[in-house]
Amino acid sequence: MAAMLASSNIRYFCQFRLLANCRHQVLKPKNLAVLSACQERDAAPTRSFVRHPALHPRHVQVSNTFVSRAFHGSGFLCADEIRTIPAPNFAESVTEGDIRWEKAVGDSVQADEVVGEIETDKTNMPVHAPVAGVIEELLVKDGDTVKAGTSLFKLRVGGKFVLSSRSAAPAKREAAAATPPPAPATPKPASSSSAGPIPAEAPPAPKAPAQPLSTTPKAAVKPKAAAAPSPGAAPTSIAGSRSEQRVKMNRMRQRIAQRLKEAQNTCAMLTTFNEIDMSNVMEMRKKFQEPFLKKFNLKLGFMSAFVKATAFALVDQPVVNAVIDDTDIIYRDYIDISVAVATPKGLVVPVIRNVETMNYADIEKTIADLGERARAGTLAIEDMDGGTFTISNGGVFGSLFGTPIINPPQSAILGMHGIFDRPVAIGGKVEIRPMMYVALTYDHRLIDGREAVTFLRKIKAAVEDPRTILLDL
C-alpha cells in the first residue's frame, strides 16, 4: 500500500513540474503524450497540483478535479485548424484556368463565400470557402494558371490570431518588464552597441519589383483627356497625353478570338438580308403585356417571337439546322438555339433546348433565367454546350445593320438589329412603320442561296403575323 501511494505521489509531482515548466511555452507533443498516458490510467477523478502564487515555489495547492482540466484552454489545444483548399474539379472539356483573387491574406470569410474566381475559356468558376475562417496564406499568385486539385490557399478555421503570437505574448511582456527604461542622456551618434541586439539571421534580399499585367477588360480602358496646348508651344510639338496601357487578354476573350478566326478560315460564309415590319408584334405586345405579366410574372419581349419563328423556319428548312462532319452531313431532329448574351467579360451563348416544343412563355422564362445567370457569371459549361443555331441581337445596343459570324460548328446565325421608323410602301402608299433589318449568315458549303433566302422569308412571315405558326403556313 505504501509503495502504491509513493508511486502515485511521484506521478503527480512530475505532472506539476511539467505544468510549471510549460507555463509560458507551447506544450510539445511528447509532453502531451506523457500527460495523456497518465490520464488514461486514472479513469476516476484524481488530484491535480497547481502552483499557488502565495506559497513557496515548492509548495503546491491540492484540488479534487480531473487532470485534463489543468490543460483545458491552453494555447496549444485551442489552436485553430488550418485547411489547405484545392481548386475545384473542372468540366470535362476544360483542363486549366487563371485564378483571380477577391480576398487577401488576413481577410475573414464566411462559409460558401467567394474567395477567388478561376477564369476558363468558357466560363468562370468561383472558389468558395468551405467553412468560416481567416485566410492564412495564398499559395498561388493572382493571374497564375491552375489545374483541378491545385492547392490554392490556406484557411484558418474560425481563427483570428496566429498561434505563434499567442505563445510569444507572455515572453514579450516579461522581456519588456525586465528591460529598464532608458536613462535621459545628451544626444550622441548612434553606435553599434546601442542599435539593439544583433539579429541572428540576415534579412532576406528584396525582390526585384515586377509590375503585374492589369486584368482590366479592354472595353474598360479609356483614353485620358488630352491637355490643352500652351499658347507658346511650338507648332511641331505633340500636344496631349501619349501614354499606353497593356492589359492581359482573359481566357474567355482568347477563346472567342480563336473560335471566330477558325470559323472565318473554315466556313464559306455568305450573308443574305431582309427587313421585318414590327407593327403587328408591337401591337400584340402592347395588347397582351398586362395579362401576360399577371399570369407568368414576366414581361413579353421581342426575343420570344424571333426564337419561336426561327424554330418554325428550321423545321421547314432542316438543312439550316444541319452540320458538316468531315464528309458527312448530320441532320438534327431537335432544335437547340443559342442566344448570344453580352457580359462584362465577353460574349457567351447559353442554349435553349428543344425550342420546337416551347411556347412564348416558356421561351421568355428560359431567356430571362439564362441571361441573369450569364451576367452574374454563374453559367455552367453544360448551359453553353451544343446548340444547332444562334441568334445574335445587336438591336439592344442600337445596331442598324451588320453581318454576324457563324458560331462553329453550327452552319448559320441570325442577326437582329434595332427597330427604327422608316417610310415604306404599303398598298401603294407611303407609310411610316417600325422596321428591323435582319441578316442570315450561312455556310455556303452546305446551304444554298435558295434555302437561305426561303428560311429568312419564313422568319419574316412568322414574326410579322404569328398566326402563320398556328396555321402551319
Side-chain angles (χ1 to χ4, degrees):
M1 184 67 179
M4 294 176 60
L5 290 175
S7 175
S8 177
N9 290 337
I10 292 174
R11 183 170 69 252
Y12 295 149
F13 183 73
C14 292
Q15 294 179 9
F16 158 70
R17 292 301 301 272
L18 181 59
L19 285 173
N21 294 335
C22 298
R23 181 176 55 179
H24 301 308
Q25 300 177 3
V26 178
L27 296 181
K28 297 181 178 180
K30 63 179 182 180
N31 295 334
L32 289 179
V34 173
L35 292 178
S36 60
C38 296
Q39 295 173 15
E40 291 177 359
R41 290 197 300 266
D42 299 330
T46 59
R47 293 185 176 184
S48 64
F49 295 83
V50 182
R51 181 186 294 273
H52 197 283
L55 300 178
H56 190 273
R58 291 192 177 184
H59 294 174
V60 296
Q61 180 184 8
V62 182
S63 61
N64 291 327
T65 180
F66 285 98
V67 174
S68 59
R69 290 184 180 179
F71 298 94
H72 184 73
S74 65
F76 183 86
L77 295 181
C78 292
D80 301 316
E81 177 188 359
I82 297 179
R83 295 187 186 180
T84 301
I85 310 303
N89 293 328
F90 297 161
E92 187 174 341
S93 58
V94 178
T95 58
E96 60 184 16
D98 295 340
I99 183 69
R100 303 294 180 190
W101 293 115
E102 298 184 6
K103 299 291 183 179
V105 175
D107 289 352
S108 299
V109 294
Q110 301 297 326
D112 294 331
E113 186 175 355
V114 177
V115 179
E117 202 172 44
I118 300 178
E119 293 183 353
T120 68
D121 54 2
K122 292 187 177 181
T123 186
N124 296 339
M125 301 178 59
V127 179
H128 298 277
V131 293
V134 177
I135 297 178
E136 184 77 9
E137 182 183 0
L138 299 179
L139 302 179
V140 292
K141 297 180 181 179
D142 187 80
D144 284 357
T145 301
V146 298
K147 297 183 178 181
T150 302
S151 298
L152 298 180
F153 65 98
K154 291 184 179 180
L155 180 68
R156 181 179 293 278
V157 180
K160 294 184 179 180
F161 304 97
V162 183
L163 181 61
S164 59
S165 62
R166 295 178 179 177
S167 59
K172 290 182 178 179
R173 288 195 297 267
E174 289 185 359
T179 305
T186 58
K188 59 181 181 179
S191 61
S192 59
S193 61
S194 62
I198 300 176
E201 297 180 358
K207 297 181 179 180
Q211 184 178 2
L213 293 176
S214 173
T215 57
T216 307
K218 183 179 180 181
V221 179
K222 298 181 179 179
K224 298 181 180 179
S230 58
T236 56
S237 62
I238 300 176
S241 175
R242 301 283 294 171
S243 62
E244 295 180 351
Q245 184 179 4
R246 182 184 295 270
V247 297
K248 182 179 180 181
M249 186 183 295
N250 60 48
R251 283 183 168 266
M252 185 179 295
R253 175 54 58 186
Q254 294 178 24
R255 183 59 175 168
I256 292 172
Q258 178 186 356
R259 288 176 60 84
L260 293 181
K261 190 59 181 175
E262 288 177 357
Q264 191 179 43
N265 296 336
T266 303
C267 301
M269 289 189 292
L270 188 62
T271 305
T272 184
F273 304 93
N274 212 319
E275 59 181 0
I276 298 177
D277 186 354
M278 300 292 293
S279 301
N280 290 337
V281 177
M282 295 178 70
E283 183 182 354
M284 179 187 70
R285 183 169 178 260
K286 182 179 179 180
K287 180 179 180 180
F288 296 103
Q289 183 69 268
E290 186 175 349
F292 190 89
L293 178 63
K294 184 177 180 180
K295 181 176 182 179
F296 301 106
N297 196 26
L298 73 162
K299 294 183 177 181
L300 178 62
F302 295 119
M303 280 298 297
S304 56
F306 276 89
V307 171
K308 188 64 179 177
T310 301
F312 179 65
L314 288 173
V315 172
D316 184 70
Q317 298 293 329
V319 68
V320 183
N321 199 46
V323 64
I324 295 177
D325 184 17
D326 197 10
T327 57
D328 299 329
I329 301 176
I330 300 177
Y331 290 90
R332 284 87 164 244
D333 296 329
Y334 57 90
I335 298 174
D336 292 347
I337 296 182
S338 305
V339 179
V341 179
T343 67
K345 296 183 179 180
L347 187 71
V348 295
V349 280
V351 181
I352 308 175
R353 312 286 180 183
N354 294 103
V355 182
E356 72 277 7
T357 63
M358 291 184 175
N359 55 25
Y360 280 65
D362 296 334
I363 295 172
E364 289 289 352
K365 288 179 182 179
T366 307
I367 292 176
D369 177 62
L370 293 175
E372 182 178 354
R373 286 194 288 155
R375 286 182 288 270
T378 58
L379 281 176
I381 301 294
E382 294 77 12
D383 296 327
M384 296 178 286
D385 277 346
T388 62
F389 188 86
T390 298
I391 298 178
S392 176
N393 185 10
V396 295
F397 305 108
S399 172
L400 175 64
F401 208 76
T403 56
I405 299 179
I406 295 175
N407 180 25
Q410 300 173 12
S411 300
I413 180 173
L414 176 68
M416 299 169 53
H417 300 92
I419 303 174
F420 300 98
D421 290 340
R422 294 201 305 272
V424 292
I426 304 296
K429 298 180 180 180
V430 177
E431 297 183 9
I432 304 299
R433 294 290 183 94
M435 305 296 293
M436 174 192 290
Y437 287 118
V438 289
L440 177 70
T441 300
Y442 57 97
D443 189 352
H444 210 349
R445 300 178 303 165
L446 175 64
I447 305 171
D448 293 330
R450 179 175 65 90
E451 286 82 5
V453 173
T454 304
F455 173 81
L456 196 56
R457 286 181 59 85
K458 200 78 173 179
I459 293 178
K460 171 183 170 67
V463 172
E464 290 183 342
D465 190 355
R467 291 175 296 183
T468 59
I469 300 178
L470 298 177
L471 299 176
D472 194 16
L473 298 177

